[in-house]
Amino acid sequence: MTDIATPDTAGPGVRYAEVIGDPIAHSLSPVIHGFWLEQLGMTGAYRRCHVRPEQLADYVARRREDPLWLGCNVTIPHKLAILEHVADPGDIGCSIGAANTVARDAQGALFATNTDAGGFFAPLADQELAGRPVTVIGAGGAARAVLFALSKMNVGPVTILNRNTLKASMLLATFGLKGEALPLDAALHKAGLLVNASSLGMSGQPPLVLDLAPLPDDAVVYDLVYAPLVTDLIAAADDRGLAAIDGLEMLVGQAALAFELLFGAAPPRDHDEQLRELLVR
Ligand code: NAP
């Protein structure tokens, strides 16, 4: 791991990107991007950089002037604050409300974007969800990316189950979605897609207790939680024979979009199985 004052650890003349956050040691992004750089035989580096909130402005000022720096992924607690320092051409501050990637445009100017919504959508691209009801659990940062994607997908009514139902109602309005906000213990509707975008079921967090019985047999169950990889929700979906998508799909999907923006090349997605093995070690 590097800090903000050590821009040259990638090696002399080597272009690099990094992931910034506080804390940052847990981030899997260097494993993903490093794997793709190696597979493509590209010269470049991707590393972790510990940036505390009070260092963010200094970090951006230093890196902006570094011709070797290609950009960064941004994680907690900088996802909103970063928008004060770089351009936001897609107005994501007012929609998803958070950035996860900063890259350079053709003129070298810095801009922010969010690849979580695209990463969420990628594994659903082949599913027939038009007009079908969707249930989303959670109303935090990840849910915002999910709801943004759903607002572009022509799905049916969206039910959000959340501890704080007021927050969930406000998100439905923000994204112009028809639906309702209900407490976490409400019975599931006959949704075509069920998404867990809450922290429930994550290691160290309370379990997610759900009865999947009301879901139709062709429902898709998508858990954004990837630690553990096989959550109780994914296991319950498997038991019912429902299509299940785990959190690594979105994690790798959002990283793939960021990799193209940062390194200007498509990552080798035909090696996903090998990458997943590295990520679950
Ligand atoms: P966040 O902004 O902190 O939101 C957490 C959500 O979980 C909120 O809806 C919160 O409810 C709910 N929650 C937390 N603790 C709870 C509890 N004890 N009881 C009931 N509800 C509780 O977190 P986030 O960034 O959205 O992340 C949520 C999950 O998604 C995490 O597991 C994260 O790792 C995962 N994630 C995965 C990916 C991926 O690429 N696969 C990307 C982003 C996030 P309230 O609104 O009522 O507080």
Side-chain angles (χ1 to χ4, degrees):
M1 192 185 353
T2 60
D3 62 33
I4 69 170
T6 55
D8 59 352
T9 53
V14 176
R15 296 190 311 159
Y16 68 99
E18 53 200 353
V19 57
I20 65 167
D22 178 29
I24 198 60
H26 64 287
S27 174
L28 292 174
S29 294
V31 178
I32 301 173
H33 291 266
F35 174 80
W36 287 332
L37 286 169
E38 193 182 321
Q39 291 295 319
L40 291 172
M42 285 176 68
T43 305
Y46 187 101
R47 62 209 196 158
R48 294 181 184 86
C49 184
H50 188 192
V51 179
R52 295 185 180 83
E54 66 275 15
Q55 295 175 307
L56 186 62
D58 188 24
Y59 169 82
V60 176
R62 285 170 186 256
R63 294 296 192 266
R64 191 190 295 277
E65 302 306 322
D66 181 352
L68 297 177
W69 184 75
L70 297 167
C72 61
N73 285 120
V74 180
T75 188
I76 291 168
H78 307 310
K79 288 185 139 193
L80 192 54
I82 192 72
L83 296 171
E84 292 168 25
H85 304 284
V86 302
D88 176 15
D91 210 11
I92 53 169
C94 293
S95 55
I96 301 181
N100 76 340
T101 306
V102 173
R104 293 192 189 272
D105 67 17
Q107 284 71 45
L110 303 184
F111 70 96
T113 188
N114 189 314
T115 65
D116 279 337
F120 165 75
F121 171 72
L124 294 172
D126 295 336
Q127 302 288 339
E128 294 293 337
L129 293 169
R132 299 198 67 186
V134 176
T135 296
V136 176
I137 302 156
R144 292 184 74 100
V146 167
L147 294 166
F148 177 83
L150 292 173
S151 74
K152 312 284 179 201
M153 285 167 61
N154 194 27
V155 294
V158 175
T159 302
I160 304 180
L161 306 183
N162 198 47
R163 178 173 59 180
N164 181 337
T165 48
L166 179 61
K167 193 169 147 191
S169 301
M170 287 168 66
L171 283 192
L172 287 172
T174 298
F175 294 100
L177 289 162
K178 289 203 174 77
E180 59 184 340
L182 297 172
L184 278 171
D185 58 0
L188 285 184
H189 291 178
K190 289 186 190 318
L193 171 66
L194 170 68
V195 182
N196 177 31
S198 78
S199 316
L200 297 173
M202 191 178 167
S203 307
Q205 298 293 320
L208 177 59
V209 182
L210 279 181
D211 177 7
L212 300 188
L215 295 182
D217 290 343
D218 62 349
V220 178
V221 175
Y222 195 154
D223 199 343
L224 268 53
V225 173
Y226 54 82
L229 185 57
V230 182
T231 58
D232 289 349
L233 178 60
I234 292 289
D238 284 344
D239 285 348
R240 263 237 24 216
L242 302 175
I245 302 173
D246 66 43
L248 278 192
E249 297 272 343
M250 175 171 163
L251 187 74
V252 173
Q254 61 78 25
L257 296 168
F259 187 89
E260 290 212 44
L261 289 169
L262 295 169
F263 293 102
R269 296 298 302 273
D270 47 341
H271 291 72
D272 273 10
E273 280 309 313
Q274 209 181 331
L275 175 57
R276 286 174 71 93
E277 281 171 26
L278 274 182
L279 291 170
V280 297
R281 253 186 216 161

